[in-house]
């Protein structure tokens, strides 16, 4: 996933009542939605000061060790980082599931499936590679990814499956969304890396390409991977320091868990309805007290 691991960070150990918490944000709207709701509850319900910080995923994990990060609110797998920071260095711990279920894969606009019914079979992609050629991909078809820091092994997949494609990085979630909208509106071919939960699926229809089925261990060697992405039960990671000293803030983070639809509601208000993250979070909080009351510490 994208430039963030979505984080809550603190500069040091402070009394629990005045512990300064920094929610991390990026242009990944779903993550920002979760960080905004959690940050608003930390402030309004528990009285913790909150500021924001922008970090990519790697920086977020590094911050757990450096003492500059409290919480990764929405972690997508990152098994290598878990091994390093949780198992080996023991500077981080799991804070449980965040409730959302993640899917990563390759997608095409629905109109392409209607016109080319077998295009969602990866074994047929070379037949259609010419449709996806761009200035950036040259004589190969283009597979549009987001940012190189996302959870992706697309370059290895293209190579290991002998596909006549080149991975081109759009640079952000926003660029992927703009490409998907343009391809749907103008009926231009597009093969793109994308993911769920994602509010855009409430606006346009995209179809997922069937890559070779995922099996446990098939992606153990990133250089040799030839299978689809695994299903992700998104989780939360906290620094061991925060788990030990975060008090009621840590309890709220540990209890926080929401669904794909709930995340999409807030993200849609941010991206489509003109609300900034804090206003979108407040709107959701005002309408869903019965849900978030269960997250508050006793």
């Amino acid at each position: 996933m994208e430039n963030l691991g979505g984080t809550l960070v603190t500069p040091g150990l402070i009394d629990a009542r005045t512990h300064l918490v920094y929610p991390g944000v990026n242009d990944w709207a779903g993550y920002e939605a979760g960080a905004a709701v959690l940050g608003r509850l930390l402030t309004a319900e528990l009285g913790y000061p909150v500021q924001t910080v922008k970090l990519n995923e790697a920086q977020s994990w590094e911050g757990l060790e450096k003492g500059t990060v409290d919480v990764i609110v929405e972690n997508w797998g990152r098994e290598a980082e878990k091994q390093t920071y949780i198992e080996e260095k023991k500077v981080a711990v799991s804070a449980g599931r965040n409730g959302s279920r993640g899917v990563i894969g390759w997608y095409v606009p629905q109109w392409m499936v209607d016109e080319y019914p077998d295009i969602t079979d990866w074994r047929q992609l070379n037949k259609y590679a010419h449709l996806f050629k761009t200035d950036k991909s040259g004589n190969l078809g283009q597979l549009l990814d987001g940012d190189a820091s996302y959870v992706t092994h697309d370059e290895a997949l293209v190579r290991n499956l002998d596909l006549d494609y080149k991975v081109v990085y759009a640079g952000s979630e926003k660029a992927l969304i703009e490409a998907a909208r343009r391809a749907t509106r103008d009926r231009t071919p597009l093969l793109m890396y994308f993911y769920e939960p994602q509010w855009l699926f409430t606006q346009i229809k995209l179809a997922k390409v069937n890559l070779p089925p995922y099996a446990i261990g098939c992606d153990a060697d990133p250089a040799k991977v030839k299978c689809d992405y695994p299903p992700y039960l998104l989780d939360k990671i906290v620094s061991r320091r925060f788990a030990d000293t975060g008090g009621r803030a840590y309890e709220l983070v540990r209890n926080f868990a929401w669904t794909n639809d709930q995340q999409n509601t807030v993200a849609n208000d941010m991206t489509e309805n003109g609300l900034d993250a804090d206003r979108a979070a407040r709107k959701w909080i005002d309408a869903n007290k019965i849900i978030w009351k269960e997250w508050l510490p006793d």
Side-chain angles (χ1 to χ4, degrees), residues 6 11 13 39 102 104 107 116 121 126 134 169 206 215 217 250 282 289 297:
L13 305 183
I104 295 176
Y107 292 81
Y116 311 103
D121 181 346
N126 280 347
T134 69
Y169 294 97
L206 301 171
Y250 168 64
R282 291 187 189 193
K289 186 174 183 179

Side-chain angles (χ1 to χ4, degrees), residues 10-78:
T10 177
L13 305 183
I14 309 175
D15 177 75
R17 276 290 174 187
T18 59
H19 191 102
L20 187 62
V21 182
Y22 296 78
V25 294
N26 67 351
D27 61 358
W28 167 14
Y31 186 95
E32 186 176 358
V37 167
L38 191 52
R40 172 51 47 188
L41 291 174
L42 283 164
T43 299
E45 297 299 320
L46 300 187
Y48 287 81
V50 172
Q51 295 180 15
T52 60
V53 61
K54 291 186 178 182
L55 298 170
N56 64 36
E57 287 179 280
Q59 291 168 336
S60 298
W61 281 91
E62 292 165 1
L64 295 172
E65 180 178 20
K66 294 177 180 177
T68 57
V69 172
D70 284 340
V71 183
I72 296 174
V73 180
E74 184 178 299
N75 175 62
W76 287 70
R78 295 287 175 179

Side-chain angles (χ1 to χ4, degrees), residues 119-183:
I119 201 168
T120 56
D121 181 346
W122 73 270
R123 291 165 294 191
Q124 305 302 318
L125 285 177
N126 280 347
K127 180 170 66 175
Y128 296 110
H130 65 282
L131 297 176
F132 300 104
K133 289 181 181 179
T134 69
D135 291 342
K136 294 182 179 179
S137 66
N139 291 325
L140 300 173
Q142 174 177 279
L143 170 58
L144 189 66
D145 268 45
D147 185 279
S149 68
Y150 289 16
V151 174
T152 176
H153 45 242
D154 284 356
E155 291 186 19
L157 268 175
V158 166
R159 180 178 64 252
N160 296 333
L161 294 177
D162 295 320
L163 297 177
D164 299 329
Y165 287 79
K166 177 181 179 180
V167 175
V168 174
Y169 294 97
S172 67
E173 177 184 78
K174 181 179 180 181
L176 286 175
I177 289 171
E178 290 174 350
R181 281 178 158 164
R182 184 167 56 252

